[in-house]
Amino acid sequence: MTTVIPTATDVSLRELEAEAIEIIREVVAEFDRPALLFSGGKDSAVLLHLARKAVWPAPLPITLLHVDTGHNLPEVLDFRDQVVAEGGHRLVVAEVEKWLADGRLTERPDGTRNPLQTVPLLDTIAEQRFDALLGGARRDEDRARAKERIFSVRDAFGSWDPRKQRPELWRIYNGRHAPGEHTRVFPISNWTELDVWRYIAAENVALPSIYYAHERPVFQRDGMWLTPGPWGGPRGSETLQTLSVRYRTVGDGSCTGAVESSAGTIAEVIEEISVSTLTERGATRADDRLSEAAMEDRKREGYF
């Protein structure tokens, strides 16, 4: 198989880029206190790159927001902080540990913290008075995300109601919201995982090193290769092994697994994804396997 690395003039990528930039400019024009959800992962890295292009040469008038579960891999946090320092951005971090320490949250029996992100997220949105949140969600990640419009209004409690979505005809977006409500905006909603990687190649977007194959001690749990960390493991019959792996998505280490891989370059990653029969979420995110409606249930409560 010959991998085709896209060029800066790739028509399909430029159409996706133009749509995303138009959406970001709409947010900058319509909202007073927008924020961009930035975890240091590939989708948010691409989103930040697009946002910079959307306002260039002006500085980015958007705050970055990260909900840190306390279980994030250190390579990703280092990358996040490096990007913020180099870009001179304002970063707000909502640390789940603080909500656990003062009793606003309770640790789950299974030790996973992805579902615990919703309360810190909504509290921080209210505290910072953010009225729009740009997110890097894509339609191909999960069927619940495929139901959501590009501009998605959330009520005063941060909840999403899929039955009350506004029509989006042609490219007309509706950012109107009442006091206390806010809008989630998804500029790369029409992108696929492969589109993201082709854009990373074309634009030379920097990513955390764990997106590429590397030797790592891992143990298997629920069919996924997890890295030892504060979330525990290996335990019981779980055995630590050193394998060549990479991450397709990054997030809470208690429920986000690596995949066995030898793809050490962007071209090799694109080739690997092109022939993969597993979706990104199905292959590497345990909490999305809980039920068919797991993501939709969390989104209704205010999740990303």
Side-chain angles (χ1 to χ4, degrees), residues 108-167:
R108 289 164 52 91
D110 62 6
T112 62
R113 289 188 176 174
N114 249 10
L116 299 183
Q117 295 179 85
T118 300
V119 173
L121 172 66
L122 295 180
D123 286 354
T124 304
I125 290 171
E127 177 186 305
Q128 297 285 330
R129 296 183 289 112
F130 292 133
D131 53 6
L133 269 79
L134 293 157
R138 309 186 318 270
R139 294 188 194 280
D140 69 331
E141 289 183 82
D142 186 278
R143 64 184 62 187
R145 287 184 166 169
K147 290 182 180 180
E148 198 155 21
R149 300 280 198 270
I150 290 176
F151 273 49
S152 177
V153 69
R154 304 300 176 99
D155 66 19
F157 302 99
S159 303
W160 172 62
D161 188 343
R163 297 167 301 179
K164 295 183 179 178
Q165 297 195 87
R166 295 161 174 167

Side-chain angles (χ1 to χ4, degrees), residues 177-214:
H177 59 282
E181 295 179 341
H182 68 275
T183 301
R184 307 282 175 92
V185 184
F186 306 105
I188 62 170
S189 184
N190 289 328
W191 298 41
T192 66
E193 181 186 12
L194 190 56
D195 291 329
V196 168
W197 273 102
R198 294 174 69 239
Y199 190 73
I200 288 167
E203 293 284 306
N204 196 28
V205 178
L207 293 180
S209 59
I210 62 173
Y211 274 111
Y212 303 101
H214 57 288

Side-chain angles (χ1 to χ4, degrees), residues 62-270:
I62 301 174
T63 298
L64 306 189
L65 170 60
H66 182 213
V67 180
D68 183 356
T69 66
H71 287 171
N72 293 95
L73 294 169
E75 296 96 326
V76 180
L77 295 181
D78 290 344
F79 173 79
R80 177 200 70 184
D81 293 341
Q82 179 184 341
V83 168
V84 169
E86 291 177 353
H89 303 302
R90 175 177 182 253
L91 172 68
V92 173
V93 180
E95 297 178 7
V96 171
E97 300 278 6
K98 291 182 179 177
W99 273 256
L100 290 169
D102 65 18
R104 284 178 287 175
L105 284 176
T106 303
E107 200 82 74
R108 289 164 52 91
D110 62 6
T112 62
R113 289 188 176 174
N114 249 10
L116 299 183
Q117 295 179 85
T118 300
V119 173
L121 172 66
L122 295 180
D123 286 354
T124 304
I125 290 171
E127 177 186 305
Q128 297 285 330
R129 296 183 289 112
F130 292 133
D131 53 6
L133 269 79
L134 293 157
R138 309 186 318 270
R139 294 188 194 280
D140 69 331
E141 289 183 82
D142 186 278
R143 64 184 62 187
R145 287 184 166 169
K147 290 182 180 180
E148 198 155 21
R149 300 280 198 270
I150 290 176
F151 273 49
S152 177
V153 69
R154 304 300 176 99
D155 66 19
F157 302 99
S159 303
W160 172 62
D161 188 343
R163 297 167 301 179
K164 295 183 179 178
Q165 297 195 87
R166 295 161 174 167
E168 291 181 340
L169 301 178
W170 302 286
R171 289 185 176 178
I172 301 174
Y173 307 110
N174 187 346
R176 189 171 55 183
H177 59 282
E181 295 179 341
H182 68 275
T183 301
R184 307 282 175 92
V185 184
F186 306 105
I188 62 170
S189 184
N190 289 328
W191 298 41
T192 66
E193 181 186 12
L194 190 56
D195 291 329
V196 168
W197 273 102
R198 294 174 69 239
Y199 190 73
I200 288 167
E203 293 284 306
N204 196 28
V205 178
L207 293 180
S209 59
I210 62 173
Y211 274 111
Y212 303 101
H214 57 288
E215 297 283 327
R216 175 179 286 268
V218 291
F219 63 93
Q220 195 166 53
R221 179 179 297 167
D222 298 328
M224 292 190 312
W225 292 110
L226 298 181
T227 297
W231 45 88
R235 61 192 181 208
S237 60
E238 297 167 348
T239 305
L240 202 60
Q241 305 179 51
T242 298
L243 299 176
S244 176
V245 298
R246 74 175 192 87
Y247 280 81
R248 284 180 70 175
T249 184
V250 298
D252 187 83
S254 62
C255 57
T256 304
V259 295
E260 291 186 73
S261 173
S262 59
T265 66
I266 294 178
E268 290 168 348
V269 170
I270 291 174

Side-chain angles (χ1 to χ4, degrees), residues 12-29:
S12 62
L13 280 183
R14 291 309 149 197
E15 288 177 347
L16 289 171
E17 178 190 62
E19 179 189 53
I21 286 177
E22 178 186 354
I23 293 166
I24 293 167
R25 287 175 176 166
E26 190 77 19
V27 169
V28 172

